[in-house]
Amino acid sequence: MNSIAEHIADFLKKYPPFDNLTFQELSEIATSIRVINLEKHKVLFQINDVLHDSFYVVASGVINLSVIADAEETLLNKCYEGDIFGLRPFFAKNNYMMTAKAREESIIYAIPIAVFRPFVANNSEVLDFLLHSFATNTSNPSDKENLRGKLISDNVYFSNQQSEMQYFQSLTYNIAPITATASSIVQEAAQLMTNSLSTSVLVCENNLPIGIVTNTDMCSKIATGRFPITTTLDKIMSSPVVTVIENVSLAEAQLLMLKYNVTHLCVTQDGTDKSAVKGVISEHDLIVAQASNPGVLIKEIKRSQTPKDLKGIRERLTELIQKSISKNIPLSHVNNLASEINLAIIKRSVELSILDLGSPPARYAWLSIGSQGRKEQLLTTDQDSMLIFEDVTAEKYRDVKDYFLKLGKRTTAILEKVGYGYCTYGHMASNMLWCKSLTDWTNQYNSWMNTPGENSNQLSSIFFDFEIVIGENKIEEVIENVVFNNIKNNTLLFDFLGNEALRKNSPLTFFKKFNVEEKGPNKDKFDIKTRALMPLIDGARLFSLSYNLRGVNNTYLRFKQLAITDPRNSEIYLNCAKAFLTLSKFRTMEGLKNDNSGQYINMQELSKANKEILKNALAPMDELEDLIKNKFQLTQFS
């Protein structure tokens, strides 16, 4: 054995998962490892590159792993000596989803997957390290103190929080697989496979799977002449079959195919080969499933050319939300996911309008306000937006305002076609009241905040929840500064906002029955938005403003942040955060069921258990109400 290979084996032995292999095994692997010298800033692979046949270990130097999201490069991780990266080819067939670039001059070991795979298959510790790390996308799972030797999954889409989506994402697979008996003739099975464009046939006995014959078996055993075409399936089938439970996730299916080195999994009722067959998952199904992951949707949005394209993606998002909720993924993750995709759709709609109108005559910022501004828009609700353009000279003002009004009208029309209804109150950038210069907006905020109650109530609260979609961040910062400067010692404003937060009718009657609608099209239904969610949203905003919490707009995160800022009342805030997620989930389920905004809950359709859960989620609101009354002097507007 040569001294270089020996040196590499010595090096690898120090780091997981290689420390689970014998020196003999490592030496065997080391002879086929390539050593790569990367100069500073040199890229090893980038997003959308075709997968390499190796994965990599850092021998020295630092490698940055990053993704491009919204035209910005986001650093996901740094890999130091002993760290593994570039594992994607182990798990997936589609291209790289991140970029690996040398931060300084580095030496990398490229380990061929074909050489390493047998060692993975035979060594459960190595396999577990890879699987666990891949699935959880964490550092080395065995070291809680975050020692070196972490393994980074390349399965990240557009932000760290979403990386575990893949672990939960469910699969669509063939639920009517071809089955045959052990004594069936190969020729007949091949004919069946061809007719139904299937890549496998399951061999069953009493509807229990005992083996599988795939395209690969046909090629390697029949086409090569090893067995005649008249042979029976039991002679060429792979047995036993690798079985999985019905709602297996994408990542779990990938891992099992890797573990057993197979291309098909048999889905059965209880996940074992002792229960009835429910379907077959092929490698192709995994590739299709990856195409509906969030990162892919975002890429498609960026390439969309028409409202129709965007509408199709918005419908797929609804499916993704439905599947995620049915698999009990935490609602905060689902919220992140949906808001990123909604944001990308709105941004693309503005870009398509600019392509039609020509480039803007001044710098501007398009802000989402209301639920999308708070990243809480799971269902298609109406649009709320505002447009701010920089101050221009008096003679240019008219033309510039004209351009941005046209931009507002065109964009809101596109969004309406995509499925976001127009705002009934006209809070949209297409309305000349919500499309103004920076100075006009500054004056508007000053007036709202210093003489509250003289403008329509609608305005005061919704305009504190904003998020930039496209344009100049500096403009958004100016507005944020105006808000926080006007808050200081503004007891009148807090008096107004406090009363606003308490104005919604109580969700429960004196006798602890749900306060349902008494008349109109939603008679006997419970208005979960107005009576339950809005008081929490208003309360979280009120306290966040009073504690000067900048940059946190989301209600759930506001409550979490308040628990840290005001520890004496942390229990109340944490209960409210939990309640907010529970109530949001009820609303989302109702909306998905009826294809609407889910505002009104049909109490007749709720089970007794769900009514209890809903009632319990309303409990923290009393405590929040008391907290508001104690903290703010509510006199003027009560």
Side-chain angles (χ1 to χ4, degrees), residues 622-634:
D622 289 342
E623 294 176 312
L624 186 67
E625 195 171 303
D626 292 339
L627 206 55
I628 292 173
K629 287 174 182 163
N630 293 337
K631 183 165 167 67
F632 307 102
Q633 285 77 47
L634 306 179

Side-chain angles (χ1 to χ4, degrees), residues 336-529:
N336 280 332
L337 182 86
S339 68
E340 290 285 345
I341 291 171
N342 279 321
L343 197 72
I345 289 175
I346 299 168
K347 184 176 179 182
R348 187 62 186 154
S349 303
V350 179
E351 288 170 350
L352 290 176
S353 304
I354 290 173
L355 286 173
D356 277 351
L357 291 170
S359 52
R363 285 178 298 193
Y364 70 100
W366 180 291
L367 304 184
S368 268
I369 52 179
S371 61
Q372 176 59 33
R374 290 190 304 272
K375 290 186 154 67
E376 289 164 7
Q377 196 177 51
L378 278 177
L379 302 154
T380 34
T381 53
D382 52 1
Q383 332 173 14
D384 291 297
S385 56
M386 57 197 261
L387 222 170
I388 310 168
F389 51 89
E390 66 179 341
D391 292 320
V392 291
T393 54
E395 62 270 18
K396 276 192 183 164
Y397 180 84
R398 186 105 185 248
D399 288 345
V400 170
K401 175 138 182 167
D402 264 2
Y403 172 90
F404 284 111
L405 266 174
K406 280 187 191 138
L407 179 65
K409 286 195 162 64
R410 194 160 287 221
T411 305
T412 51
I414 290 176
L415 288 168
E416 205 264 340
K417 286 185 186 142
V418 174
Y420 302 91
Y422 289 125
C423 170
T424 39
Y425 302 104
H427 296 150
M428 293 180 296
S430 52
N431 176 344
M432 60 196 304
L433 289 174
W434 314 137
C435 172
K436 294 196 266 220
S437 71
L438 189 51
T439 296
D440 288 348
W441 269 118
T442 302
N443 295 337
Q444 175 73 77
Y445 271 92
N446 287 336
S447 138
W448 278 337
M449 295 181 73
N450 296 313
T451 55
E454 291 175 28
N455 298 287
S456 128
N457 303 342
Q458 244 351 82
L459 312 179
S460 54
S461 55
I462 181 176
F463 282 85
F464 293 123
D465 302 333
F466 50 76
E467 177 181 40
I468 186 163
V469 173
I470 184 171
E472 296 285 327
N473 289 319
K474 287 273 186 296
I475 293 178
E476 184 193 30
E477 278 166 34
V478 172
I479 294 296
E480 192 176 55
N481 288 334
V482 171
V483 169
F484 283 95
N485 289 335
N486 274 318
I487 279 169
K488 290 174 190 147
N489 307 321
N490 192 339
T491 47
L492 194 65
L493 176 71
F494 284 113
D495 185 351
F496 177 76
L497 290 176
N499 277 293
E500 274 298 284
L502 299 180
R503 193 153 285 156
K504 317 285 187 286
N505 293 340
S506 164
L508 297 174
T509 64
F510 181 71
F511 298 107
K512 297 290 180 234
K513 293 257 190 296
F514 288 97
N515 239 330
V516 294
E517 299 301 289
E518 288 173 8
K519 51 181 188 297
N522 296 301
K523 188 173 173 337
D524 296 331
K525 288 184 181 170
F526 178 61
D527 181 349
I528 194 165
K529 177 186 173 183

